[in-house]
Amino acid sequence: MGKRYFCDYCDRSFQDNLHNRKKHLNGVQHLRAKRVWYDLFRDAAAILQEEQTKKPCRKFLQTGQCDFGSNCRFSHMTEQDLEKLSAQVQGERRSKELQQEGADVPPGTIEDWLEKRAKRLSVAQS
């Protein structure tokens, strides 16, 4: 039967020869599957920046579904989704800044930490 090539992105196998592999690796289905895979590992800031530049998808807003799915060139995020993503990005930036300053970030939410910090500062000032 010969060697077979298994593509992890597409989750399929085929006979391994130069023609078949080249045809598969340049195919639309493989390129889409590869893009979806790498999109899973993007940070929230990159996703937010990309979504803010896109216009809202009318079909998705009207029906809740879009025929193009993740390949749609329009945004499928609502205003609330964008606000949540923006808050997540700001939280990540704050924690990164705190780590650069050398401060210990206790487990829990950032708001809890900020409240404790404000109390400590007010006690220290009085």
Side-chain angles (χ1 to χ4, degrees):
M1 185 160 154
K3 288 182 166 182
R4 296 197 59 80
Y5 178 82
F6 182 78
C7 178
D8 291 322
Y9 301 116
C10 302
D11 197 29
R12 63 180 291 233
S13 65
F14 51 88
Q15 186 178 5
D16 190 20
N17 61 41
L18 182 63
H19 174 73
N20 288 347
R21 189 183 291 205
K22 190 173 184 179
K23 185 177 177 182
H24 174 75
L25 294 177
N26 292 326
V28 174
Q29 181 181 12
H30 174 77
L31 295 174
R32 284 183 183 159
K34 186 177 172 183
R35 180 176 170 232
V36 167
W37 173 258
Y38 281 104
D39 284 349
L40 293 173
F41 302 103
R42 289 192 316 170
D43 61 334
I47 295 171
L48 178 65
Q49 183 180 11
E50 182 180 315
E51 289 296 326
Q52 286 177 336
T53 60
K54 293 180 179 180
K55 293 180 182 178
C57 179
R58 279 190 260 152
K59 176 101 173 171
F60 186 78
L61 292 176
Q62 291 171 351
T63 63
Q65 295 179 354
C66 178
D67 297 335
F68 296 102
S70 62
N71 297 321
C72 185
R73 65 181 180 148
F74 298 106
S75 177
H76 291 172
M77 290 190 137
T78 62
E79 290 296 324
Q80 293 84 10
D81 293 337
L82 288 173
E83 289 172 7
K84 287 178 186 176
L85 193 58
S86 178
Q88 181 183 349
V89 168
Q90 290 175 355
E92 289 175 358
R93 285 182 185 157
R94 284 187 205 134
S95 64
K96 195 178 289 185
E97 289 171 359
L98 291 173
Q99 287 176 354
Q100 288 176 350
E101 292 174 1
D104 292 331
V105 179
T109 64
I110 292 175
E111 289 79 17
D112 295 339
W113 184 84
L114 288 172
E115 288 175 7
K116 290 178 185 178
R117 182 174 179 254
K119 288 177 185 177
R120 278 187 267 138
L121 290 175
S122 65
V123 169
Q125 289 175 353
S126 61

